[in-house]
Amino acid sequence: MTRSPDLPESCDADVLVVGGGPVGLLVAADLDSRGVSTIVVEDRPFLEPPNVKCNHVSARTMEAFRRLGLADAVRSVGLPAEHPQDVAFRTSATGVEFGRIPIPSAAARRRGDGVGPDTTWATPEPPHRVNQRYLEPVLEQHVATLPHVDLRNDTRCTTVSQDDRGVTATLRGTRDGAEVSVRARYLVGADGGRSLVRRSIGARLHGDPVLQHVQSTCVRVPGLADRVDADPAWGVYVFNPRRQGHIYAIDGRDVFLVHSYLTPEEAAHDSVDRDRAVRDILGVGDAVAYEVLSKEDWVARRLVADTFRDRRVFLAGDAAHLWVPYGGYGMNAGIADGLNLAWLLGAVLSGWADESVLDAYAAERQPITDQVSRLAMGHLRKIDATDLPTDLEADTQAGATARRRLGELAYDLNVQQFAAAGLNFGYSYGSSPIIVPDGDAPDYTMGTYTPSTVPGCRLPHTWLADGVSLYDRLGPWYTLVVSGRAAAQDTDLDAWAATARAAGLPVEVLVVPDHVVPDPYVTRYLIARQDQHVAWRGDDLPDDPTALAAALGSARARGATGIAA
């Protein structure tokens, strides 16, 4: 690991990241891109795949992968390139299909000829369906090559303490038991739902501890596809009077993750026969052989930590929140936590921002995680309230009518989670201390949002004239985005930007051709962060660039204007 030039001799790294899953790995990758040194500790061996869990990478996460140079590598793993990523509704995996949400395959995404509800999204990187078992090794292998990262596998953090200058942790080897003490300026706890770091800062989870019990089994079923009289699908939601649940294709061949929904009574008495439940969902008899690869039982919850930070220690991902894992937004929200925090820590550790900007982490992420958790919980309750028709499997006109109606209802309910435009693009950081307010952000739902440049909102995407994404041209910190017409009329644009930089605000200027400026750009100017959130907008550049620089976190400007750190 390359040490940061101004790292104190008493510190081993700028940041210690506890937990080497997707959240922790992305924190390290982002900080590395900013020249910040990290130590990442993970108790599993290097490149050992995790258990089968999150199956979906959101568009916002894919946009971050694009920035870090990982998007193509991520899209190349998981299901075969031509395998549809559709979600089907059937009476069993091998039963009658009565509805389908079309979602393009990876190959169709590349060709641009895919059909589905998310294909018109204004993003350079649409979602990708891939199980975390395949995703995580891609991230881990990448992070292991980065110059500012010390990745320590087979290592567990056992104690955490902090003082005014840094954080001290005890690390223990999981193979040899050897202990070592490490010191860092800051610590990020990305160590999951049973987080040691969360306990160490006294944070508690609050919310709804039990919403649903799910018996989950990863199985290998050779030849299952040959028994299905329908096109392949990534996900299959199963409705029949014997068992309800859903299935995800893990490798696109013969490995599947089977989720069986349990009633409260079944969960309390552990009364569900796993083999029978698997067979009822797959729609196969006792003569069909399958192999149990792992048991992944889980409980749907809605829990959010009462604090995301104690001085130099931060929580991210499942350490900070646990909720119904619809659409994979547990992992994706955790990655959003990590990237948000990495940007803020990078700003402080690179020297241009004062430490008070770290207050923005909880101010931005904690309300959003609470909002998203409630949306997911509400979605679960709507699905639970769905009545199952008694004649759903009947080979009659009444049965066909029942299937058609349930298919329409299932589509309307589930397209919101599998094409969750609102969860991807609708949330705003309007309450942040480093966002200059100018109006209220539009409301959003799980599946809908209104593009906006209200400060705090996601910068609406556009393709530039040379076919490059607008996001590809954003600088590492702040970018002043100006239309071509406004730039032509403003002869002082470069001078204003130079004055802002002299005041300690790292801002670049991007002129966007008029013919590609999206309609939501209702002001002549705006400033966006690299994470694509609008920080300021206006029809005129501020007369006092130093005051704006102070509002956006510049330590130099805050000192000059007397704003307290």
Side-chain angles (χ1 to χ4, degrees), residues 105-334:
S105 67
R109 297 276 196 203
R110 290 193 185 96
R111 294 192 301 267
D113 59 4
V115 175
D118 64 5
T119 55
T120 58
W121 284 1
T123 175
E125 293 291 343
H128 180 60
R129 270 71 187 179
V130 56
N131 189 269
Q132 191 171 327
R133 186 171 182 84
Y134 299 111
L135 169 66
E136 198 167 304
V138 172
L139 305 182
E140 192 171 27
Q141 196 147 28
H142 171 74
V143 168
T145 68
L146 299 178
H148 300 290
V149 180
D150 178 1
L151 179 59
R152 303 189 186 185
N153 291 91
D154 301 304
T155 303
R156 180 174 296 127
C157 179
T158 58
T159 68
V160 172
S161 62
Q162 63 177 310
D163 54 42
D164 291 342
R165 294 190 172 187
V167 182
T168 302
T170 303
L171 308 183
R172 178 182 298 155
T174 58
R175 293 175 182 254
D176 58 13
E179 289 192 345
V180 62
S181 178
V182 297
R183 180 86 170 158
R185 294 178 178 182
Y186 298 96
L187 184 146
V188 178
D191 51 339
R194 299 177 180 177
S195 171
L196 166 81
V197 177
R198 185 179 64 239
R199 296 195 302 273
S200 76
I201 66 172
R204 292 181 175 274
L205 295 172
H206 296 276
D208 300 277
V210 178
L211 297 172
Q212 182 187 46
H213 289 271
V214 179
Q215 189 184 77
S216 183
T217 313
C218 186
V219 296
R220 177 176 284 113
V221 195
L224 183 67
D226 297 334
R227 299 174 179 272
V228 179
D229 188 23
D231 291 336
W234 161 69
V236 177
Y237 273 63
V238 170
F239 302 84
N240 68 57
R242 297 169 298 284
R243 181 60 51 190
Q244 294 187 53
H246 63 278
I247 306 162
Y248 289 124
I250 301 302
D251 64 356
R253 292 181 291 276
D254 58 6
V255 177
F256 303 89
L257 185 59
V258 181
H259 294 313
S260 174
Y261 310 151
L262 308 185
T263 67
E265 294 75 18
E266 289 172 335
H269 298 96
D270 193 21
S271 59
V272 174
D273 180 275
R274 187 180 297 268
D275 173 69
R276 186 75 268 145
V278 168
R279 292 185 184 279
D280 285 344
I281 292 174
L282 294 179
V284 298
D286 294 342
V288 175
Y290 68 86
E291 176 187 1
V292 175
L293 302 179
S294 61
K295 299 175 182 179
E296 310 285 345
D297 300 353
W298 51 274
V299 177
R301 315 176 189 275
R302 193 201 70 81
L303 298 170
V304 179
D306 53 8
T307 181
F308 281 23
R309 176 193 181 189
D310 177 26
R311 295 167 289 165
R312 293 180 173 271
V313 178
F314 300 81
L315 304 178
D318 284 356
H321 45 74
L322 295 165
W323 60 62
V324 186
Y326 278 123
Y329 283 94
M331 180 193 76
N332 290 286

